[in-house]
């Protein structure tokens, strides 16, 4: 997700490579005319921080939770510089952008982003597109997963736009879909 207000941008998750990240940075800077204020990696997998070095080389501050930073170090991935515990709020233009840790799911460290102005949530890999399978469960907590999404839904019951880590954007129905997918039978 790219969040923009008054020529300032925040990017949630890097593309998987430095090359693709550089293309994204140039697109936001040159085509959209925005300054990239920060990039947030929403968990420690390659599809969130695989292109981190391109952002670092561009002088863009990189953020992730302390959990993600520890896992990235253990995994010998690129490591975001700035950490937070449960929540982080950015200001871009005259708007706020929130990041919060809702609990375990796709990974133990997955966080979500929320942009109040657009009522848009970036669920990342914690949230599945309609019809999706369970995906990569190597680092997942499938017992906690539906509870985590239920709490997220309770915190944002009428959220308008929900962006999954992969696939099509939806509304709060993809929160429901993800909960059902992981509920114990
Ligand atoms: Zn992942």
């Amino acid at each position: 997700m790219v969040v923009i207000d008054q020529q300032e941008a925040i990017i949630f998750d890097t593309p998987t490579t430095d090359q693709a990240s550089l293309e994204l940075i140039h697109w936001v800077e040159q085509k959209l005319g925005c300054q990239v204020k920060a990039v947030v990696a929403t968990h420690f997998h390659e599809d969130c921080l695989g292109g981190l070095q391109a952002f670092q080389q561009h002088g863009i501050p990189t953020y992730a939770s302390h959990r993600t930073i520890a896992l990235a170090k253990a995994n010998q991935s690129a490591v975001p510089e700035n950490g937070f515990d449960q929540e982080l709020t950015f200001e871009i233009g005259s708007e706020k952008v929130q990041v919060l840790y809702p609990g375990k799911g796709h990974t133990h460290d997955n966080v979500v982003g929320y942009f109040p102005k657009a009522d848009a949530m970036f669920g990342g890999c914690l949230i599945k597109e309609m019809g999706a399978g369970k995906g990569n469960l190597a680092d997942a907590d499938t017992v906690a997963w539906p509870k985590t999404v239920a709490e997220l839904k309770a915190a944002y019951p009428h959220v308008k736009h929900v962006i999954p880590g992969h696939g099509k954007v939806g509304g709060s129905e993809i929160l429901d879909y993800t909960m059902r997918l992981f509920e114990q039978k």
Side-chain angles (χ1 to χ4, degrees):
M1 175 164 82
V2 181
V3 180
I4 290 170
D5 192 65
Q6 296 175 9
Q7 270 73 58
E8 294 187 329
I10 288 182
I11 296 176
F12 283 86
D13 287 345
T14 77
T16 52
T17 64
D18 290 327
Q19 174 67 34
S21 294
L22 203 56
E23 282 175 31
L24 174 61
I25 293 164
H26 286 159
W27 179 70
V28 172
E29 286 181 345
Q30 291 161 17
K31 296 277 183 224
L32 305 181
C34 295
Q35 187 199 352
V36 182
K37 301 277 285 186
V39 63
V40 183
T42 63
H43 63 283
F44 74 103
H45 286 162
E46 286 300 294
D47 54 357
C48 301
L49 47 67
L52 201 74
Q53 280 176 352
F55 286 85
Q56 289 168 330
Q57 282 161 9
H58 232 77
I60 295 166
T62 59
Y63 289 81
S65 75
H66 291 305
R67 289 180 195 84
T68 299
I69 289 173
L71 288 163
K73 279 182 184 160
N75 211 31
Q76 297 180 326
S77 309
V79 178
E81 286 129 19
N82 306 287
F84 63 93
D85 284 320
Q86 291 295 117
E87 280 185 45
L88 179 66
T89 302
F90 291 102
E91 293 190 6
I92 53 166
S94 54
E95 297 295 330
K96 290 191 188 330
V97 184
Q98 300 161 346
V99 189
L100 61 104
Y101 176 66
K104 296 172 185 177
H106 169 70
T107 55
H108 290 199
D109 64 321
N110 47 206
V111 299
V112 301
Y114 182 68
F115 185 40
K117 184 189 185 184
D119 196 7
M121 178 186 290
F122 181 71
C125 295
L126 176 69
I127 304 302
K128 298 292 177 185
E129 73 169 325
M130 228 40 177
K134 294 183 178 181
N136 170 15
L137 299 178
D139 301 303
D141 185 331
T142 54
V143 175
W145 200 327
K147 292 180 212 146
T148 298
V149 178
E151 282 171 29
L152 195 57
K153 171 105 198 252
Y156 299 91
H158 306 298
V159 60
K160 196 165 173 193
H161 309 286
V162 182
I163 303 174
H166 303 273
K168 282 201 184 110
V169 175
S172 64
E173 77 284 353
I174 68 172
L175 300 179
D176 297 327
Y177 175 76
T178 305
M179 261 186 272
R180 282 202 307 274
L181 186 62
F182 289 99
E183 262 158 16
Q184 305 294 311
K185 304 267 160 32

